[in-house]
Amino acid sequence: MEDKQFTISLKCLFCDCELRGDSEVEFSSGDMLECKECGELNDYDALIDVAVDEGKEFAAKYAKEEIEKMLKKTFK
């Protein structure tokens, strides 16, 4: 299995649009990020939790596919 990198963007919890902003600004726990599309404030911690869960899903799916490929090669 190769080292795989996944790109996950933070998405507004209200309208599901990708959150965009100044890349120079660093956010931390407790910060509120405003969505440029709908204007709602998103809790930084909740956004990170959702992104982590999405990353886990991507990694699990990728691992499962790779294991299935290896097993098919083994039992040919």
Side-chain angles (χ1 to χ4, degrees):
M1 210 176 345
E2 66 183 61
D3 287 338
K4 181 77 171 176
Q5 291 187 356
F6 301 98
T7 301
I8 300 170
S9 59
L10 297 181
K11 296 179 185 167
C12 176
L13 300 173
F14 301 96
C15 70
D16 206 37
C17 291
E18 185 175 330
L19 294 174
R20 301 179 192 277
D22 186 2
S23 61
E24 300 292 320
V25 178
E26 288 192 30
F27 297 99
S28 60
S29 180
D31 288 346
M32 300 297 282
L33 287 75
E34 183 178 0
C35 176
K36 302 293 184 193
E37 297 293 322
C38 69
E40 292 286 343
L41 293 176
N42 292 270
D43 177 55
Y44 176 81
D45 295 320
L47 291 170
I48 295 300
D49 289 343
V50 170
V52 167
D53 290 343
E54 188 176 342
K56 287 178 183 178
E57 287 176 25
F58 284 152
K61 181 180 177 187
Y62 174 72
K64 182 179 177 182
E65 290 171 355
E66 289 297 308
I67 291 169
E68 287 174 357
K69 286 180 192 175
M70 291 186 324
L71 289 175
K72 284 180 184 176
K73 288 179 184 176
T74 303
F75 293 109
K76 274 191 171 182

